[in-house]
Amino acid sequence: MPPQLTLSARTEKQRKGRHTMVAIDPVIRVAAVQAAPVWLSKEKSTDKAIALIQEAAGRGAHLVAFGESWLPGFPYWIWLGAPAWGSDFFVELHQNAVEADGPELRAVRDAARRASVEVVLGATEREVGSLYCTLFFIGSDGSLRGRHRKLKPTHVERSIWGEGDGSDLFVLDTPIGKLGGLNCWEHLQPLSKYAMYAAGEQIHVAAWPALSIYNGTAYALGVEANMAASRVYALEGQNYVIAVTNIVGEDVFSRLCDTEERQRLLERGGGTTTIFAPSGETHAGPLPYTTEDILVADLDLAEIRRAKQAADPAGHYARADATRLLVNRHPRTPVHVDPAPSDSVFGAPPTAAFEPQDGEEAVDQ
């Protein structure tokens, strides 16, 4: 049986009292998966993801979320040595990256359909020759609802992943509410965040890698700083934030940390999965640093209304006369093919042109 949405306790009480709420706010049970994939094995990691989805569904979850680049694993080597040293790992990642219409995503989609749960899965996606840091949004009916590519990979990540574009900034209408997500340090990009807030996001997946890189030497990469960014997202946007982290397993550590220096730069663990409420307070978690587990919590969407009373950054708390945001949602395509003459040596003209790239829409702030 699929998990059933329930009304919030507050809504139930008000319906039984003198006042009946016009809008019914459900309670959504979410599951944040803090686990290590089977590193750089797309087949084994897919099998593990399916098992975790089934486990979360068995605990009544309506939504299951994974961390950044969970399938088939985050490229930690980029922080540990020269590009030449990491080249073989890149080839292995390229071989194990997933495609949007590939068998791995089809298997996860089928698992979501059978469990009747929404899934947000972090992955390294391959399209033609390039890789992207992607969040796949999979519906409880098995559909691929959306694909968010990280707009700007961080620092040395740009040696691995290409960039997304404005079409990757979206919030989806789903049976559990308005759902969106960003990867890692996209939570430090104020304009991208504002575009998401303006779309009325209710549940946000903040997908992080294991936060165990350069511990003690780079505060900005650690648990405290990045959970603060996740908390601020909830507070600014008045939404629930599922900040889900990966962990570094023994397979990663044994393959990459072959010198004393690398053993200092990367630790086992790195988990701190936490769920934040629309008020900014901690709603559930954090999970322990080295533990594989699933953090399950119930989200009362009525609490978003309470938070909106005080602030709505793209509504009553905005000042459009002073500052505004422009969002270009057109896909950025590297090739535009002009129709060729019918007698061209290149053959018949294409049946359709690419979308124009100069469209803009305004979002008031």
Side-chain angles (χ1 to χ4, degrees):
M1 291 288 293
Q4 299 297 311
L5 298 180
T6 60
L7 300 180
S8 71
R10 184 175 302 102
T11 303
E12 288 281 18
K13 187 180 296 184
Q14 289 179 314
R15 290 177 74 238
K16 293 175 181 177
R18 292 191 304 168
H19 303 289
T20 300
M21 291 183 65
V22 175
I24 296 176
D25 297 299
V27 173
I28 307 301
R29 179 163 290 181
V30 299
V33 175
Q34 178 171 294
V38 182
W39 197 61
L40 299 189
S41 172
K42 61 182 178 181
E43 293 87 1
K44 293 180 180 179
S45 292
T46 298
D47 290 343
K48 184 169 183 177
I50 291 171
L52 290 164
I53 290 168
Q54 293 169 341
E55 180 182 346
R59 297 172 64 177
H62 306 109
L63 168 66
V64 184
F66 292 79
E68 182 181 46
S69 187
W70 194 90
L71 179 63
F74 187 86
Y76 295 102
W77 70 84
I78 57 180
W79 298 94
L80 302 177
W85 171 74
S87 182
D88 287 345
F89 293 118
F90 176 84
V91 171
E92 193 173 351
L93 176 63
H94 202 284
Q95 292 169 336
N96 282 274
V98 299
E99 297 179 342
D101 59 352
E104 296 79 25
L105 261 293
R106 288 198 297 269
V108 175
R109 290 170 59 182
D110 186 58
R113 179 188 57 77
R114 286 186 279 109
S116 192
V117 295
E118 302 286 317
V119 175
V120 180
L121 177 64
T124 290
E125 176 197 6
R126 185 179 64 240
E127 184 175 62
V128 191
S130 292
L131 302 182
Y132 300 91
C133 182
T134 298
L135 289 178
F136 288 106
F137 291 80
I138 298 168
S140 55
D141 58 358
S143 63
L144 182 58
R145 295 193 189 278
R147 176 187 66 184
H148 167 81
R149 288 174 174 172
K150 193 172 188 176
L151 268 69
K152 174 64 71 171
T154 303
H155 201 268
V156 289
E157 291 176 358
R158 293 196 281 276
S159 67
I160 303 292
W161 294 317
E163 297 179 341
D165 55 42
S167 67
D168 293 292
L169 291 173
F170 59 80
V171 172
L172 298 166
D173 285 309
T174 76
I176 63 170
K178 291 184 176 294
L179 176 65
L182 296 173
N183 280 301
C184 198
W185 268 19
E186 288 186 300
H187 296 90
L188 272 63
Q189 295 175 322
L191 302 185
S192 295
K193 293 195 300 178
Y194 192 71
M196 301 290 283
Y197 301 157
E201 190 180 31
Q202 294 174 299
I203 302 173
H204 176 81
V205 175
W208 298 91
L211 299 176
S212 61
I213 301 168
Y214 298 1
N215 239 351
T217 60
Y219 177 85
L221 300 179
V223 167
E224 190 172 64
N226 292 299
M227 288 303 100
S230 300
R231 187 187 301 275
V232 166
Y233 193 100
L235 180 63
E236 284 185 340
Q238 299 89 49
N239 48 41
Y240 284 98
V241 171
I242 305 168
V244 55
T245 58
N246 301 333
I247 60 173
V248 170
E250 186 60 40
D251 54 351
V252 175
F253 194 83
S254 62
R255 290 193 63 187
L256 296 182
C257 299
D258 54 353
T259 67
E260 289 186 6
E261 181 186 30
R262 289 175 183 145
Q263 290 170 13
R264 289 194 302 270
L265 296 178
L266 181 66
E267 294 179 344
R268 298 173 181 86
T272 185
T273 295
T274 309
I275 297 172
F276 298 100
S279 63
E281 66 184 320
T282 299
H283 184 69
L287 290 179
Y289 191 75
T290 59
T291 301
E292 286 205 3
D293 200 356
I294 300 176
L295 181 62
V296 177
D298 292 332
L299 314 184
D300 181 355
L301 298 191
E303 288 302 309
I304 295 174
R305 300 181 188 275
R306 184 186 304 278
K308 291 293 185 184
Q309 181 181 7
D312 183 7
H316 68 79
Y317 207 53
R319 281 293 306 273
D321 59 319
T323 56
R324 303 180 71 195
L325 171 67
L326 293 176
V327 182
N328 179 0
R329 296 195 186 278
H330 284 286
R332 181 178 62 183
T333 54
V335 178
H336 178 89
V337 180
D338 289 324
S342 58
D343 59 350
S344 167
V345 294
F346 296 103
T351 56
F354 286 89
E355 291 287 335
Q357 300 191 33
D358 57 353
E360 290 183 334
E361 63 182 75
V363 177
D364 290 344
Q365 179 176 342

